[in-house]
């Protein structure tokens, strides 16, 4: 296990273990987080744990052209069923991602210090939020890291309070990313929900090619 110190550096991602765990420790400073994302690494840990850094193999990704939109979702999009905004309320989005209950987990990994770190990333332009509104009420959203130089968006988390809200926001955002020339959306690890939207697993080596 590689233990980080004050130096902003990571070992080669090939040294990650079977679960993708690469390193432990360090901090959540903006320079370290930015360096991590540009190196194919992200922090992922829970309450009362040290900071854990991952680079999984395989890697779940979505190529924008592969996005799957169901017939029912197309109808909602045509009707402008929800309003979607970008960077209107990052703090509310990340707090909801941390607090909305999920059937597949008992506790959140978006601990308070993680929320504060990503709020700072947002203020520097690296972290982006997508808000989904219905009748002026925030009903869904997502946030992630925008690696402009690599034309890549690294999705972190999403939440929904009403059916289809987060999916609606995600699909709308994909279209915006297409216009910006984005080549890849990093989804990190496999979930059935992401697979249903067209995401798939590729090798870590292939993923790293997009970061070169």
């Amino acid at each position: 296990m590689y233990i980080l110190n004050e130096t902003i550096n990571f070992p080669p991602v090939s040294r990650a273990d079977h679960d993708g765990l690469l390193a432990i420790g360090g901090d959540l400073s903006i320079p370290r987080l930015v360096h991590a994302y540009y190196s194919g690494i992200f922090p992922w840990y829970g309450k009362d744990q040290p900071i854990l850094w991952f680079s999984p193999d395989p890697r779940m990704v979505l190529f924008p052209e592969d996005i799957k939109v169901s017939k029912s979702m197309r109808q909602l999009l045509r009707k402008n069923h929800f309003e979607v905004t970008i960077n209107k309320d990052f703090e509310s989005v990340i707090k909801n991602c941390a607090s909305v209950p999920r059937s597949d987990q008992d506790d959140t990994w978006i601990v308070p210090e993680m929320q504060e770190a990503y709020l700072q990333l947002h203020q520097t332009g690296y972290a982006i939020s997508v808000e989904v509104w219905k009748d002026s009420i925030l009903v869904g959203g997502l946030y992630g890291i925008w690696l402009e130089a690599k034309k890549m968006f690294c999705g972190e988390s999403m939440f929904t309070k009403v059916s289809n809200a987060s999916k609606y926001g995600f699909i709308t955002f994909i279209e915006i990313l297409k216009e910006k020339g984005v080549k890849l959306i990093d989804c990190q690890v496999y979930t059935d929900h992401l697979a249903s939207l067209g995401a798939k697993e590729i090798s870590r080596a292939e993923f790293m090619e997009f970061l070169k």
Side-chain angles (χ1 to χ4, degrees):
M1 174 58 61
Y2 191 89
I3 300 176
L4 301 179
N5 54 33
E6 296 82 7
T7 304
I8 298 177
N9 196 18
F10 290 95
V13 295
S14 59
R15 295 186 183 178
D17 68 14
H18 177 74
D19 295 320
L21 179 59
L22 177 66
I24 183 172
D27 55 41
L28 296 176
S29 66
I30 291 176
R32 191 185 297 271
L33 283 168
V34 171
H35 179 61
Y37 279 96
Y38 272 104
S39 303
I41 302 162
F42 58 88
W44 188 21
Y45 64 102
K47 182 181 179 181
D48 300 324
Q49 286 185 313
I51 302 174
L52 304 176
W53 302 88
F54 286 81
S55 184
D57 187 17
R59 190 87 168 213
M60 192 71 166
V61 303
L62 174 66
F63 295 96
E65 63 272 18
D66 292 340
I67 184 71
K68 293 181 180 178
V69 185
S70 66
K71 182 178 180 180
S72 59
M73 181 57 65
R74 291 183 189 279
Q75 293 174 342
L76 292 178
L77 291 165
R78 282 198 297 268
K79 295 176 180 178
N80 295 315
H81 187 73
F82 297 104
E83 179 188 0
V84 178
T85 58
I86 308 296
N87 288 336
K88 186 174 183 178
D89 195 346
F90 183 94
E91 187 170 5
S92 291
V93 168
I94 195 169
K95 286 184 179 299
N96 274 282
C97 286
S99 63
V100 170
R102 304 173 193 272
S103 59
D104 59 343
Q105 63 186 52
D106 298 325
D107 204 354
T108 182
W109 57 269
I110 311 173
V111 294
E113 58 265 33
M114 185 82 82
Q115 295 178 40
E116 178 59 30
Y118 281 77
L119 183 57
Q120 292 180 26
L121 278 176
H122 170 65
Q123 292 166 349
T124 60
Y126 282 105
I128 294 175
S129 64
V130 178
E131 302 86 18
V132 184
W133 310 83
K134 185 64 176 176
D135 300 326
S136 300
I137 298 174
L138 185 65
V139 294
L142 61 102
Y143 75 96
I145 305 301
W146 168 229
L147 303 182
E148 184 173 10
K150 301 298 181 181
K151 297 298 182 183
M152 181 186 297
F153 178 76
C154 304
E156 280 295 315
S157 185
M158 62 176 65
F159 80 95
T160 189
K161 292 185 175 180
V162 301
S163 179
N164 291 315
S166 62
K167 187 182 293 186
Y168 187 104
F170 184 69
I171 292 171
T172 301
F173 187 50
I174 293 298
E175 294 305 313
I176 295 172
L177 292 179
K178 284 182 180 179
E179 294 175 1
K180 291 181 176 292
V182 168
K183 297 178 174 60
L184 188 71
I185 293 91
D186 174 24
C187 303
Q188 299 180 346
V189 295
Y190 179 93
T191 68
D192 290 338
H193 176 66
L194 290 168
S196 72
L197 291 170
K200 63 181 181 181
E201 292 180 319
I202 62 174
S203 70
R204 181 170 54 215
E206 185 178 355
F207 175 78
M208 295 302 294
E209 285 296 320
F210 285 92
L211 289 172
K212 287 185 178 180

